[in-house]
């Protein structure tokens, strides 16, 4: 079965403004995110990517543009199932405000029970994304062979949920996983089990520098903005 490269979109304007973007239209890459996207072709140089699949959201489309320009033989297929979680009434709100919502404690500690008001459950989010991957695995293997490599550009919570699925982790543990903007996460699928080959690889160690204020231990909903 194929190897999947999961790319989280580059840093967005919502990331830097501390907003939970969700499916809010018009959320673009910021200056740093555009630079991250521009570096993607070089990072993937030499890897024979057979197919590209993307979330329909603008920040993912912009992340892939330099790669598609560098490899005109590739066409991006849009799949809504790997689009961001539908955060419903939380979409577009400041994360600092949402921190005090009672539901946030559930999102952090028991996400399999979390249902966003006017949106979807985190359980449904994981299910649709995992189903998309399995269908694309079969399609890529059929069209390009069992050793093919393909790429998906998606979002923090989606990628974290797919990593949990690959590792056989309960969704309630997925907040322990971290993927920064424009990071590469690689899962090699086989007939009997998946193998996590890379997790949140940016090639940049800036996020390891201690912050002035210690982290509170909560996972950033939506994935966070990455290194300052």
């Amino acid at each position: 079965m194929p190897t999947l490269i999961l790319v989280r979109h580059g840093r967005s304007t919502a990331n830097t403004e501390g907003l939970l973007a969700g499916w809010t239209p018009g959320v673009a890459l910021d200056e740093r995110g555009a630079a991250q996207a521009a570096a993607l072709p070089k990072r993937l140089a030499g890897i024979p990517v057979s197919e590209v699949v993307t979330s329909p959201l603008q920040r993912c489309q912009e992340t892939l543009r330099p790669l598609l320009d560098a490899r005109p033989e590739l066409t991006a297929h849009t799949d809504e199932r790997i689009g961001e979680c539908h955060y419903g009434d939380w979409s577009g709100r400041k994360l600092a405000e949402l921190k005090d919502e009672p539901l946030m404690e559930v999102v952090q500690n028991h996400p399999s029970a979390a249902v966003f008001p006017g949106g979807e459950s985190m359980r449904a989010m994981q299910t649709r994304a995992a189903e998309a991957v399995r269908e694309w695995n079969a399609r890529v293997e059929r069209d390009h062979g069992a050793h093919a490599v393909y790429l998906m550009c998606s979002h923090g919570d989606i990628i974290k949920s797919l990593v949990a699925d690959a590792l056989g982790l309960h969704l309630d543990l997925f907040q322990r996983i971290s993927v920064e903007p424009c990071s590469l996460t690689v899962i090699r699928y086989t007939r009997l089990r998946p193998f996590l080959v890379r997790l949140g690889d940016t090639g940049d160690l800036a996020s390891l520098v201690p912050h002035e204020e210690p982290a509170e231990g909560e996972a950033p909903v939506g994935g966070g903005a990455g290194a300052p």
Side-chain angles (χ1 to χ4, degrees):
M1 296 178 71
T3 295
L4 169 61
I5 300 174
L6 290 159
V7 180
R8 185 183 168 200
H9 62 78
R11 196 173 73 175
S12 72
T13 54
N15 292 145
T16 49
E17 292 170 10
L19 301 177
L20 185 62
W23 285 70
T24 304
V27 176
L29 299 184
D30 68 4
E31 185 176 351
R32 179 171 180 174
Q36 291 170 332
L40 198 56
K42 184 175 181 180
R43 292 170 66 194
L44 293 170
I47 299 176
V49 176
S50 59
E51 297 281 2
V52 173
V53 188
T54 181
S55 156
L57 295 174
Q58 179 179 338
R59 51 198 184 272
C60 287
Q61 307 274 343
E62 291 181 355
T63 298
L64 287 178
R65 192 165 297 148
L67 177 65
L68 296 175
D69 288 345
R71 300 196 189 188
E73 74 278 7
L74 292 175
T75 300
H77 305 275
T78 300
D79 194 325
E80 292 197 357
R81 294 173 297 177
I82 62 167
E84 181 63 283
C85 184
H86 291 278
Y87 296 117
D89 297 343
W90 280 25
S91 299
R93 292 181 59 188
K94 285 194 169 292
L95 288 164
E97 297 173 358
L98 294 170
K99 186 177 178 180
D100 296 327
E101 293 278 354
L103 178 61
M104 183 60 83
E105 186 176 10
V106 181
V107 170
Q108 290 291 327
N109 299 297
H110 190 20
S112 65
V115 182
F116 293 99
E120 70 178 333
S121 69
M122 301 197 91
R123 198 171 56 252
M125 172 199 74
Q126 183 188 43
T127 298
R128 63 173 165 85
E131 287 177 350
V133 166
R134 282 162 174 75
E135 288 183 20
W136 276 101
N137 281 349
R139 177 173 172 175
V140 170
E141 181 172 7
R142 180 197 69 203
D143 294 345
H144 303 282
H147 301 294
V149 178
Y150 73 109
L151 182 149
M152 281 185 169
C153 187
S154 188
H155 306 266
D157 281 350
I158 294 288
I159 294 172
K160 287 162 56 178
S161 74
L162 289 171
V163 170
D165 174 75
L167 293 177
L169 292 177
H170 196 282
L171 185 61
D172 287 344
L173 300 178
F174 101 125
Q175 297 289 28
R176 303 183 184 193
I177 299 166
S178 176
V179 289
E180 290 199 3
C182 223
S183 63
L184 304 181
T185 294
V186 182
I187 302 172
R188 180 172 295 129
Y189 288 88
T190 74
R191 187 173 66 87
L192 296 180
R193 65 182 62 84
F195 293 90
L196 181 63
V197 181
R198 294 283 189 280
L199 176 60
D201 187 349
T202 63
D204 179 3
L205 300 182
S207 63
L208 301 181
V209 176
H211 297 288
E212 292 183 7
E213 297 182 4
E216 297 181 2
E218 292 193 347
V221 181

